[in-house]
Amino acid sequence: MSHDNSPKKLVYMANQIGKFFAPQKHETAVAGIANHLTKFWDPSMRTKIVRHLSDGGEGLDPLVREAVQTLRVEQSDDAGYFG
Amino acid sequence: MSLITEIDYGTPASRSDKTVTLTIDGMEVHVPEGTSIMRAAMEVGTKIPKLCATDMLESFGSCRLCLVEIQGRAGTPASCTTPVAPGMVVHTQTERLKALRKGVMELYISDHPLDCLTCAVNGNCELQTEAGNVGLRDARYGYAGANHLADKKDESNPYFTYDPAKCIVCNRCIRACEEVQGTFALTIDGRGFGSRVSAGQMESFFESECVSCGACVQACPTATLVEKSVIDIGQAEHSAVTTCAYCGVGCSFKAEMRGEELIRMVPYKDGKANHGHSCVKGRFAWGYATHRDRILKPMIRAKVSDPWREVSWDEAIGHAASEFKRIQAAHGKNSVGGITSSRCTNEETYLVQKLVRAGFGNNNVDTCARVCHSPTGYGLGTAFGTSAGTQDFDSVDETDVVLIIGANPTDAHPVFASRMKKRLREGAKLIILDPRRIDLVRMPHVAADYHLPLQPGTNVAVLTALAHVLVTEGLVNEAFVRERCDWQEFQDWAEFVSKPRNSPEEVAKVAGVPADTIRKAARLYATGGNAAIYYGLGVTEHSQGSTTVLAIANLALATGNLGRRGVGVNPLRGQNNVQGACDMGSFPHEFSGYRHVSNDAVRSIFEKAWGVALDKEPGLRIPNMFDAAVEGTFRGIYVQGEDILQSDPDTTHVARSLAAMECVVVQDLFLNETANYAHVFLPGCTFLEKDGTFTNAERRIGRVRKVMSPKNGFGDWEITMALSNAMGFPMNYAHPSEIMDEIAATTPTFAGVSYAKLDEAGSVQWPCNESAPEGTPIMHIDAFARGKGKFVVTEYVATDERTGARFPLLLTTGRILSHYNVGAQTRRTANVAWHEEDRLEIHPHDAEQRGVRDGDWVKVSSRAGETTLRALVTDRVATGVVYTTFHHPSTQANVVTTDFSDWATNCPEYKVTAVQTSRSNGPTGWQERYREQAEQSRRIAETVEAAE
């Protein structure tokens, strides 16, 4: 694995998540993967994986591709004292 | 403030619910059946003279001092061994008893040095007290006869002395070692007058199996076993009850003081986690608090290659805040973050995450639980709805089958291990899943019924095989599952585990555990009565850590081992406040009480309380922060009480990440390894120097009480507050109790918690709120926190960290009794006497193949890096597996561990690293470069005094 939040590493991490959900029913698995990415990945990581998919999504397992397709990333910029 | 003294009732309390009425010295007494006469008398304030009895131990009846007369019965029975009976009439003081007691005491005193004035326990000696109580004025036998007064003192233990000249052979120390600690290190050597307490087989205490828990010292009624600190300083004049800052057991101690000097830490009998017991760390290893290495003044520097410059608090805080602001202005608000510490209090942890969320304006906050128990949070949260263990420690007293997975309680959670061993000695069965032969597999009076020495990385496969047996052999508790769980989810799971590939016979091929052993272990767990699972980092620190936690939960659900005493799923937390740090909202995706940041209703609670808009997106986790730093998008970090460089995996990568940042702020007691890459150092304070609370592994919130002024000038909470104010986000708490009030106001599971409540109850277990005003010892009694218990399919996915020709061995890591985590504290105590370096355990077969002998220097290489350490050749590890601890920075065990991590939480896979070992002549190039860099980095510029 590479040592940054590069697509290669994120693809590896997303596929790891995919392998956990893979034994579940197809719709549940896709939703589970997408939900996991939304709940635990920060928006910059999600943005990268979405962008990677739009660039062809090399290396992403089929279930994960489906899940990433459902992601919507909104960068929030109105938070915090400096917001 | 005065010295807290606890009543010694002489014998343990009876648990009977039947009451017996008797008369003692004319007073009617009502006590539970089974109570001793001695205890019954003490219940009404009558203290019968005693020496061999103490209420931490079963009665023994050897000293013959506690004799009483009972109407209608012949003789003078010992009150400690005689139970009460209905209508019994007892006299504790008669002419006959007075004469007998005085005679007994004469014999004791005739062989005891009469040096009371210069004795370390003068005024606090039970022999001295009882001699006075029985009216002894002389010993008719004189002092010239045969005696033991010239017996040699054993001063080998770093913390206490054994002076046989003062020993009255009451056996309290031996019984404490057996009954309380369960080590059986002490015995009586010889017979009659020659009887002497012996450590091991007449060895010194240090050389014997003694684990230095201090139970014998606490039990000793004379100065035979006494703390060296008491000998050196004298006795305490006041004390306060506080909570230990070491492991997740969270023992209560009396910090016994003279002025602001700590004399000793004595385990508190009313402590609900430890019931008066302790281990070598909490009891004795507190000297780091005053160690010369402590940094007491704030320091800053422009570059990490510069020497440190001592500055005022205002300058240090102002510099840190201006740097964070500068970085955010240049690189965006998400370019900085913070790390909270499981070593700090709940209140301090809460403040750090508040500073990050509200002051920095992002959710880039994480905690060291990321690298230990984050999979517990995910797994138990998913299965049961609460990210915490289900039981209290006392629950083990009603357990019939103990199942330990990936934990080594006698080293890492020693006080709870003693409770567990007691239950095992009473007959509970034991199953252990561990690649290594931990002590509990076989030790005095404890032996595992089944040890499953599975290959590292195969936890999920083995647990699913256990489930396979439950389902295919009809051992599922269907009534429980139907009532308490989702039946369809259960059926899906049952179908999955029943597949042939999950059978013990198939799993045996990858896990290396005989199928028959897996089957027998599963049957025992399902049919042996109350079964409880205890697990540790051997479960969580894997690429399938979260899956393993779910597989554990599945077993408990399928067998109905939840929701009552004696059963449950119990994560043994590593550091003192891992549970609390997680509870307090340290994870980037959730607020206190495990509520996701995207939940509008929850976020509005905090936005209202803090007066600021909050980010609804999760922030970066620690490994993501490191990766982002290398990438250049994350440039500033505030690290409170954590040594990420030493404790996190793949040290080379962590170092590179820290080196890439523009502002690293470290708040700690010492210039730890992370501080080598810091630009601002804010000196922290010890648990003795501040008020607060810790939450232990059983969700118990206990008070930490300040017993001395902070040597650095401020509590850690005050430092975070100053940084926040300098950042422009105001925090104004006058006392940590106000922070707890805010936690209670914003966190439903803590709604009933306050310092007043903790002072009144001693401690409480969350949830503590309107529904459970006195707290919740056992969770999920009638329903799960999430409603129905959730079965989850747990497919085994082998780790990508594979052995091969280049790296043929599997390295797994762990802890040792005498040290704590990265060793920053314990390495600065006499505990180094037991473990002065990390060693590589290697099986004799693997050692022979490589020409490695015991004590040789060996190089350990992985794809991440290489280090050297000395070998310990032992068959505790299986062939193909090597093991080491990570307590010493010179070893750099984490140079070798890789960046593979748990799929759900990014918890690092510390427990599986493919390595090769070979003989070595000395340190690796990395170690030498690191040592040089560390020395350079720790330079502190001399302060130039202003001219007068």
Side-chain angles (χ1 to χ4, degrees):
Chain A
M1 267 193 297
S2 60
H3 276 317
D4 52 34
N5 282 334
S6 67
K8 195 176 169 192
K9 181 163 187 179
L10 296 179
V11 165
Y12 180 85
M13 289 164 62
N15 285 345
Q16 263 191 302
I17 296 166
K19 286 188 178 80
F20 172 79
F21 287 99
Q24 300 179 6
K25 291 185 180 81
H26 183 263
E27 316 80 67
T28 320
V30 171
I33 297 165
N35 181 49
H36 195 91
L37 293 171
T38 306
K39 255 180 107 174
F40 297 102
W41 281 26
D42 107 300
S44 67
M45 293 162 69
R46 298 204 313 268
T47 303
K48 277 182 198 157
I49 201 81
V50 168
R51 199 176 296 145
H52 178 71
L53 182 64
S54 65
D55 291 345
E58 187 187 345
L60 284 175
D61 290 342
L63 266 182
V64 180
R65 294 177 79 96
E66 277 189 63
V68 173
Q69 265 163 3
T70 69
L71 290 185
R72 280 183 66 243
V73 185
E74 290 172 23
Q75 285 280 7
S76 136
D77 57 3
D78 61 344
Y81 189 75
F82 298 97
Chain B
M1 204 185 290
S2 58
L3 199 64
I4 298 162
T5 49
E6 297 148 281
I7 295 170
D8 184 353
Y9 291 90
T11 62
S14 164
R15 289 184 186 176
S16 173
D17 50 9
K18 284 187 190 163
T19 300
V20 168
T21 301
L22 70 159
T23 304
I24 300 177
D25 294 338
M27 274 186 289
E28 196 170 272
V29 184
H30 311 277
V31 290
E33 190 178 60
T35 302
S36 70
I37 292 174
M38 174 182 281
R39 186 173 182 107
M42 197 62 216
E43 295 277 4
V44 292
T46 299
K47 193 174 178 185
I48 298 172
K50 65 179 182 61
L51 283 172
C52 72
T54 183
D55 59 12
M56 288 285 288
L57 307 171
E58 295 299 324
S59 57
F60 192 57
S62 81
C63 76
R64 313 314 294 167
L65 209 60
C66 71
L67 310 177
V68 291
E69 289 194 74
I70 302 170
Q71 272 185 24
R73 291 197 194 180
T76 52
S79 63
C80 64
T81 52
T82 309
V84 295
M88 183 182 259
V89 178
V90 179
H91 300 284
T92 69
Q93 181 80 341
T94 66
E95 288 307 316
R96 185 184 180 194
L97 293 172
K98 282 158 65 179
L100 281 169
R101 287 186 190 135
K102 201 179 278 189
V104 169
M105 186 56 82
E106 276 184 288
L107 287 166
Y108 279 120
I109 295 300
S110 67
D111 187 12
H112 192 82
L114 301 178
D115 61 351
C116 291
L117 277 180
T118 54
C119 178
V121 302
N122 183 21
N124 193 20
C125 168
E126 291 183 42
L127 183 67
Q128 186 186 45
T129 304
E130 297 297 9
N133 288 345
V134 303
L136 186 77
R137 299 292 172 258
D138 194 14
R140 286 168 294 165
Y141 312 110
Y143 307 100
N147 59 56
H148 301 90
L149 302 185
D151 285 6
K152 196 164 174 269
K153 206 169 173 179
D154 176 356
E155 298 183 285
S156 61
N157 185 289
Y159 297 117
F160 61 85
T161 62
Y162 166 58
D163 185 354
K166 293 183 174 175
C167 179
I168 59 170
V169 202
C170 65
N171 281 255
R172 272 163 65 162
C173 54
I174 294 163
R175 288 146 58 211
C177 191
E178 292 177 5
E179 294 175 28
V180 179
Q181 167 56 29
T183 292
F184 295 78
L186 306 180
T187 188
I188 292 290
D189 184 78
R191 302 181 68 182
F193 183 75
S195 301
R196 295 284 86 188
V197 171
S198 161
Q201 295 181 326
M202 291 306 275
E203 296 156 275
S204 73
F205 267 76
F206 185 74
E207 289 165 331
S208 74
E209 314 93 305
C210 166
V211 293
S212 205
C213 67
C216 58
V217 180
Q218 198 182 346
C220 182
T222 70
T224 306
L225 289 157
V226 65
E227 297 91 345
K228 285 183 175 174
S229 58
V230 173
I231 294 173
D232 290 344
I233 308 169
Q235 292 181 40
E237 44 79 24
H238 74 271
S239 57
V241 174
T242 192
T243 305
C244 179
Y246 281 120
C247 79
V249 177
C251 296
S252 291
F253 278 89
K254 293 182 290 181
E256 294 199 344
M257 311 294 297
R258 176 156 287 278
E260 287 205 281
E261 184 170 25
L262 179 60
I263 305 292
R264 62 178 182 174
M265 295 287 280
V266 182
Y268 187 46
K269 273 200 303 190
D270 283 344
K272 291 170 186 167
N274 58 320
H275 299 287
H277 190 34
S278 59
C279 78
V280 62
K281 295 190 282 287
R283 178 79 153 94
F284 296 118
W286 37 264
Y288 69 87
T290 52
H291 195 276
R292 64 181 181 281
D293 285 355
R294 259 189 84 176
I295 302 294
L296 302 176
K297 292 183 179 167
M299 302 187 296
I300 63 173
R301 58 184 172 188
K303 302 192 298 291
V304 296
S305 53
D306 291 345
W308 285 107
R309 186 166 62 86
E310 290 179 348
V311 295
S312 68
W313 274 102
D314 281 348
E315 186 176 349
I317 294 285
H319 179 69
S322 69
E323 278 294 278
F324 285 136
K325 285 181 184 175
R326 178 186 66 74
I327 292 168
Q328 287 191 302
H331 303 284
K333 71 179 169 63
N334 292 330
S335 57
V336 299
I339 296 180
T340 75
S341 174
S342 296
R343 295 183 216 170
C344 288
T345 63
N346 285 319
E347 293 77 1
E348 289 160 350
T349 306
Y350 178 85
L351 282 201
V352 173
Q353 62 92 31
K354 178 175 176 177
L355 164 65
V356 173
R357 297 188 201 282
F360 291 178
N362 63 47
N363 286 322
N364 291 336
V365 62
D366 207 355
T367 184
C368 49
R370 174 66 51 210
V371 299
C372 65
H373 266 289
S374 49
T376 290
Y378 180 84
L380 299 187
T382 302
F384 306 145
T386 306
S387 302
T390 61
Q391 310 297 115
D392 61 1
F393 288 143
D394 288 354
S395 167
V396 78
D397 292 346
E398 295 171 44
T399 297
D400 302 307
V401 179
V402 175
L403 199 165
I404 300 174
I405 311 175
N408 187 6
T410 53
D411 278 66
H413 305 88
V415 170
F416 176 66
S418 291
R419 292 287 299 280
M420 188 186 270
K421 285 189 284 183
K422 189 172 187 180
R423 183 62 189 151
L424 292 167
R425 290 197 302 275
E426 288 169 351
K429 304 293 184 189
L430 177 61
I431 303 165
I432 295 176
L433 276 70
D434 202 295
R436 189 163 162 264
R437 198 179 67 235
I438 61 171
D439 284 349
L440 281 169
V441 171
R442 187 163 183 83
M443 65 189 309
H445 301 272
V446 171
D449 295 85
Y450 301 109
H451 175 211
L452 283 61
L454 70 184
Q455 276 289 300
T458 61
N459 284 338
V460 170
V462 174
L463 288 165
T464 306
L466 291 170
H468 175 97
V469 178
L470 301 185
V471 172
T472 57
E473 295 191 10
L475 302 175
V476 170
N477 182 340
E478 192 177 320
F480 180 91
V481 173
R482 282 188 180 277
E483 184 193 340
R484 301 287 305 273
C485 307
D486 184 304
W487 183 247
Q488 184 57 50
E489 284 173 351
F490 165 75
Q491 285 182 311
D492 292 344
W493 172 80
E495 185 191 341
F496 160 74
V497 299
S498 302
K499 290 181 176 168
R501 69 171 187 275
N502 292 320
S503 70
E505 289 68 25
E506 285 303 309
V507 167
K509 295 171 189 168
V510 292
V513 180
D516 188 49
T517 310
I518 296 174
R519 286 193 178 277
K520 285 176 176 166
R523 289 169 194 149
L524 177 58
Y525 175 75
T527 64
N530 284 342
I533 299 176
Y534 293 88
Y535 72 87
L537 305 184
V539 158
T540 55
E541 292 176 343
H542 287 276
S543 61
Q544 279 203 290
S546 293
T547 316
T548 313
V549 175
L550 287 164
I552 287 169
N554 288 337
L555 290 182
L557 288 170
T559 52
N561 276 307
L562 287 159
R564 63 180 191 276
R565 304 194 66 76
V567 298
V569 174
N570 306 277
L572 294 170
R573 306 285 186 160
Q575 301 198 66
N576 51 317
N577 202 33
V578 175
Q579 181 69 58
C582 298
D583 300 341
M584 291 299 100
S586 293
F587 288 132
H589 65 284
E590 57 196 12
F591 292 111
S592 57
Y594 305 98
R595 293 163 296 165
H596 201 273
V597 292
S598 64
N599 183 318
D600 293 340
V602 172
R603 212 168 54 255
S604 73
I605 294 171
F606 290 95
E607 288 179 334
K608 196 171 162 195
W610 299 346
V612 61
L614 298 171
D615 195 341
K616 63 181 179 185
E617 291 285 359
L620 295 166
R621 298 169 289 195
I622 292 174
N624 311 144
M625 291 181 196
F626 293 153
D627 293 342
V630 172
E631 186 186 63
T633 55
F634 188 81
R635 295 176 180 241
I637 193 166
Y638 169 43
V639 187
Q640 185 184 74
E642 264 307 297
D643 193 355
I644 48 179
L645 184 61
Q646 193 185 338
S647 62
D648 286 43
D650 196 358
T651 308
T652 314
H653 176 51
V654 180
R656 198 151 67 94
S657 311
L658 290 169
M661 293 189 209
E662 294 171 21
C663 182
V664 175
V665 178
V666 168
Q667 184 173 326
D668 210 297
L669 300 176
F670 307 104
L671 279 174
N672 61 19
E673 306 309 306
T674 307
N676 294 343
Y677 291 90
H679 305 86
V680 180
F681 187 87
L682 304 174
C685 72
T686 71
F687 76 113
L688 299 165
E689 300 165 354
K690 60 192 176 188
D691 282 301
T693 57
F694 291 149
T695 306
N696 75 356
E698 47 168 6
R699 295 170 278 105
R700 185 180 299 286
I701 307 157
R703 272 298 311 275
V704 175
R705 290 187 172 89
K706 180 177 168 180
V707 293
M708 59 178 74
S709 308
K711 298 192 186 312
N712 57 329
F714 296 102
D716 290 296
W717 59 279
E718 293 173 291
I719 298 165
T720 305
M721 213 162 72
L723 181 57
S724 186
N725 288 330
M727 289 292 296
F729 178 71
M731 286 189 192
N732 293 295
Y733 304 97
H735 189 268
S737 61
E738 296 177 6
I739 307 171
M740 180 53 81
D741 291 343
E742 183 175 314
I743 295 165
T746 53
T747 314
T749 45
F750 275 66
V753 181
S754 66
Y755 279 28
K757 177 74 189 175
L758 295 172
D759 286 345
E760 171 206 321
S763 61
V764 291
Q765 289 170 271
W766 67 258
C768 176
N769 48 30
E770 210 169 58
S771 315
E774 300 308 313
T776 311
I778 307 292
M779 300 274 298
H780 316 301
I781 288 177
D782 297 316
F784 289 99
R786 68 182 302 279
K788 294 281 188 187
K790 185 177 180 65
F791 281 93
V792 179
V793 168
T794 55
E795 187 76 72
Y796 168 60
V797 180
T799 172
D800 287 326
E801 181 69 7
R802 306 276 168 84
T803 54
R806 195 167 158 222
F807 301 117
L809 301 171
L810 281 179
L811 169 73
T812 184
T813 59
R815 297 163 192 231
I816 199 161
L817 171 67
S818 50
H819 282 295
Y820 175 68
N821 208 264
V822 294
Q825 291 134 294
T826 46
R827 278 187 283 108
R828 291 178 171 95
T829 69
N831 277 25
V832 289
W834 285 280
H835 185 81
E836 59 185 1
E837 61 182 345
D838 295 318
R839 293 277 199 110
L840 184 80
E841 291 187 8
I842 182 168
H843 189 274
H845 175 76
D846 293 327
E848 191 179 333
Q849 274 196 331
R850 291 162 177 76
V852 171
R853 288 167 303 183
D854 196 65
D856 279 353
W857 285 97
V858 289
K859 186 167 76 177
V860 184
S861 318
S862 75
R863 64 178 174 82
E866 56 187 34
T867 190
T868 56
L869 65 172
R870 290 202 297 148
L872 176 65
V873 178
T874 170
D875 65 358
R876 280 182 79 134
V877 288
T879 52
V881 177
V882 289
Y883 167 88
T884 190
T885 49
F886 59 98
H887 302 305
H888 292 266
S890 56
T891 309
Q892 294 284 351
N894 281 323
V895 170
V896 181
T897 52
T898 71
D899 64 343
F900 280 127
S901 65
D902 173 46
W903 68 269
T905 65
N906 270 168
C907 179
E909 191 169 47
Y910 288 109
K911 301 296 183 184
V912 186
T913 308
V915 297
Q916 177 58 294
T917 67
S918 57
R919 288 184 67 182
S920 167
N921 291 326
T924 61
W926 159 265
Q927 281 171 301
E928 283 179 347
R929 284 195 301 279
Y930 183 84
R931 190 182 307 127
E932 195 179 318
Q933 192 262 351
E935 278 171 15
Q936 283 291 310
S937 178
R938 289 185 175 131
R939 288 171 301 145
I940 299 174
E942 293 207 11
T943 311
V944 180
E945 296 291 338
E948 299 208 359

